[in-house]
Amino acid sequence: MLLRPDVFRHLCRARDLLCEVGEGQASVGEVARAVGISQYHFIRQFEAVFGATPHQLRIHARLGRARRLLAAGHMPVTEVCLEVGFSSLGSFSALFRRRVGVTPSAYQRRLRGLVQVPPSRPVSPVAGCLTLMGGLPPGTFRNFREA
């Protein structure tokens, strides 16, 4: 499919609009109007260029954000569901399981076991280079400049 550069720019702009996750997302029709293409022509061109329909791309972006939020482990599954734009926990969980292979809660539990936060160490008041030099055998350097 041969596209004019301005049409390709419009489709890329539309892709960016569709990938935005959050409240107040524009519908596919609104995105098509924003880039100046009729809705059905927009869907056909978008799929030909990007290999997925606008709806499929939006679902992929939402699930990607959901995976990142679940991996962080700071939010319960219900909050993640609402954060990424789903209104039903059941439909979110079913779609997540179909696409990812496990339920959102199982995904979050599995990643909690893999990602370990190291305990915080006290900050040393001595510069790191001096600490390294202190571990060298005596007589390694004749003077400070050589070190």
Side-chain angles (χ1 to χ4, degrees), residues 31-88:
V31 171
R33 277 191 296 280
V35 296
I37 304 172
S38 77
Q39 181 176 350
Y40 298 105
H41 187 61
F42 167 69
I43 292 171
R44 284 191 302 274
Q45 279 190 329
F46 192 92
E47 186 174 16
V49 171
F50 297 113
T53 65
H55 179 71
Q56 291 168 339
L57 181 78
R58 177 171 276 166
I59 293 296
H60 182 74
R62 284 179 175 178
L63 290 178
R65 175 145 168 78
R67 283 194 306 268
R68 287 188 298 278
L69 290 172
L70 290 168
H74 303 300
M75 299 170 70
V77 174
T78 307
E79 284 184 34
V80 170
C81 166
L82 297 174
E83 177 74 23
V84 297
F86 287 92
S87 57
S88 165

Side-chain angles (χ1 to χ4, degrees), residues 126-138 141:
V126 179
C129 60
L130 294 177
T131 316
L132 290 173
M133 286 177 37
L136 294 174
F141 301 109

Side-chain angles (χ1 to χ4, degrees), residues 11-43:
L11 289 173
C12 289
R13 184 170 152 239
R15 181 190 57 199
D16 294 342
L17 289 172
L18 288 167
C19 285
E20 290 177 1
V21 177
E23 290 187 30
Q25 292 179 339
S27 69
V28 173
E30 291 169 344
V31 171
R33 277 191 296 280
V35 296
I37 304 172
S38 77
Q39 181 176 350
Y40 298 105
H41 187 61
F42 167 69
I43 292 171

Side-chain angles (χ1 to χ4, degrees), residues 59 63 77 81 86 88-105:
I59 293 296
L63 290 178
V77 174
C81 166
F86 287 92
S88 165
L89 180 61
S91 63
F92 167 69
S93 294
L95 181 64
F96 192 92
R97 182 180 178 136
R98 238 184 353 262
R99 298 281 177 97
V100 179
V102 294
T103 63
S105 55

